[in-house]
Amino acid sequence: MMAYKRLEDSSFTWPAVRNGVMRLEPAQFEALFSGLDWQRVRPLEVIAPAAAE
């Protein structure tokens, strides 16, 4: 995927590149391009129900 974002505050923190690839979860990508701190975005821990009624 290719993306474009214009800088507004002269700084933009990108994730680390490993093996030539930069990986972000979808929520982290949205935060990054919304100008939020993408490093603070974590996936929700969802506990599966023990039994269905």
Side-chain angles (χ1 to χ4, degrees):
M1 166 189 269
M2 183 173 279
Y4 170 83
K5 171 76 174 167
R6 184 176 176 169
L7 294 178
E8 296 175 8
D9 290 329
S10 72
S11 65
F12 203 58
T13 304
W14 286 96
V17 176
R18 294 194 175 110
N19 296 325
V21 178
M22 183 186 311
R23 295 196 187 277
L24 286 171
E25 296 292 326
Q28 291 174 320
F29 179 84
E30 291 295 326
L32 176 69
F33 278 82
S34 294
L36 303 174
D37 185 358
W38 64 269
Q39 296 170 322
R40 296 183 65 187
V41 176
R42 301 280 184 248
L44 294 174
E45 291 186 31
V46 177
I47 300 172
E53 294 185 32

